[in-house]
Amino acid sequence: SILLPDGLTYAQKILSLVPSYIWPLWETSGLVMEDIVGTADGTYSGVTLNNTPAPGASMRTAGLWDGVNDVATANAVTISGSEFSIGLWVKMLNAGVWTDGALHCFLEVRVDSSNRFGIWKSAPQEVGVYRVGNGAVVARTAALSTASWFLATITCSQANNRMRLYVADVKQGTDIAVGAFTGTSASVEFGRLTNTGSLYHSGWLSFGMYFPRELTQPEVAQLATAQ
């Protein structure tokens, strides 16, 4: 487990908020991407494991996505289309990736082509959330260029008709209307936009996590203190 400066483990910090799934992405070899909470293990394809220190004061490592064809996928993941939160830690390969003009997908949750959402580098120096099923609505950050780890999180409440994007503990832009997102069995892909093969992440990913409710800002802030 991840030992933090405050003496807690990061996995314990996530568990205190009762997630359905945690994919630490900390494997050192093999093809299995472990879900340490639920039963949604996945598979790595091409990812260079055990490549760089994971976020936090840690003896664990994170894998490198090459920006060309690397992906990690968990299939048949049970989700709620109405109340949920999902996030992961992201580190870009270098500051230049922010300005390379390409789109880079960090995470996508997909029921089908009409019901999917994800987090990506949506434009030069921006992180965005896209939502298909209510139009291709995008919320974006202000300009970013960090080459350090950051937490990116989507929170969603259909009851309040809002989807929110956080980078670290700061809500970005305005709320997105959720609309009629349907489906309960999804694939979760780390590092690739499913239906567009060119939108791969270039850099490292760590600690994917899914919660069956809308997290509050203080809860997101709690998760954002791994470094």
Side-chain angles (χ1 to χ4, degrees):
S1 56
I2 298 293
L3 181 64
L4 296 182
D6 60 6
L8 298 174
T9 65
Y10 191 59
Q12 288 171 341
K13 187 170 286 193
I14 302 171
L15 285 168
S16 72
L17 298 177
V18 195
S20 299
Y21 313 104
I22 303 174
W23 298 276
L25 306 175
W26 60 20
E27 286 78 12
T28 59
S29 62
L31 299 177
V32 176
M33 175 183 69
E34 184 184 14
D35 165 25
I36 64 172
V37 174
T39 58
D41 289 355
T43 304
Y44 290 106
S45 177
V47 178
T48 303
L49 301 177
N50 196 30
N51 185 262
T52 199
S58 170
M59 297 300 292
R60 298 287 189 170
T61 58
L64 173 65
W65 276 249
D66 67 2
V68 178
N69 57 10
D70 292 355
V71 64
T73 306
N75 291 310
V77 178
T78 300
I79 66 165
S80 165
S82 57
E83 305 287 326
F84 65 86
S85 301
I86 190 164
L88 80 166
W89 285 86
V90 179
K91 185 177 182 181
M92 307 300 266
L93 183 65
N94 52 54
V97 177
W98 287 109
T99 57
D100 65 7
L103 300 175
H104 296 280
C105 188
F106 310 143
L107 165 74
E108 183 181 55
V109 178
R110 177 189 177 100
V111 174
D112 54 40
S113 61
S114 298
N115 291 276
R116 54 192 174 90
F117 58 88
I119 309 171
W120 58 1
K121 191 205 89 174
S122 53
Q125 295 185 271
E126 292 180 349
V127 173
V129 54
Y130 64 88
R131 162 80 174 85
V132 177
N134 189 34
V137 183
V138 178
R140 293 176 172 171
T141 66
L144 295 172
S145 60
T146 180
S148 300
W149 286 104
F150 63 91
L151 178 69
T153 308
I154 295 172
T155 67
C156 179
S157 171
Q158 197 164 68
N160 294 305
N161 195 28
R162 67 189 181 204
M163 182 178 283
R164 292 174 168 173
L165 170 67
Y166 291 86
V167 172
D169 60 348
V170 179
K171 187 174 83 72
Q172 306 294 319
T174 58
D175 296 350
I176 303 168
V178 178
F181 188 87
T182 61
T184 58
S185 181
S187 63
V188 178
E189 291 209 324
F190 296 98
R192 180 178 71 177
L193 180 61
T194 307
N195 69 332
T196 307
S198 61
L199 303 189
Y200 286 89
H201 175 53
S202 180
W204 299 269
L205 299 173
S206 186
F207 280 107
M209 59 195 94
Y210 175 92
F211 303 85
R213 61 187 178 85
E214 180 188 41
L215 294 179
T216 65
Q217 189 279 331
E219 289 173 328
V220 174
Q222 177 180 329
L223 295 171
T225 56
Q227 56 180 346

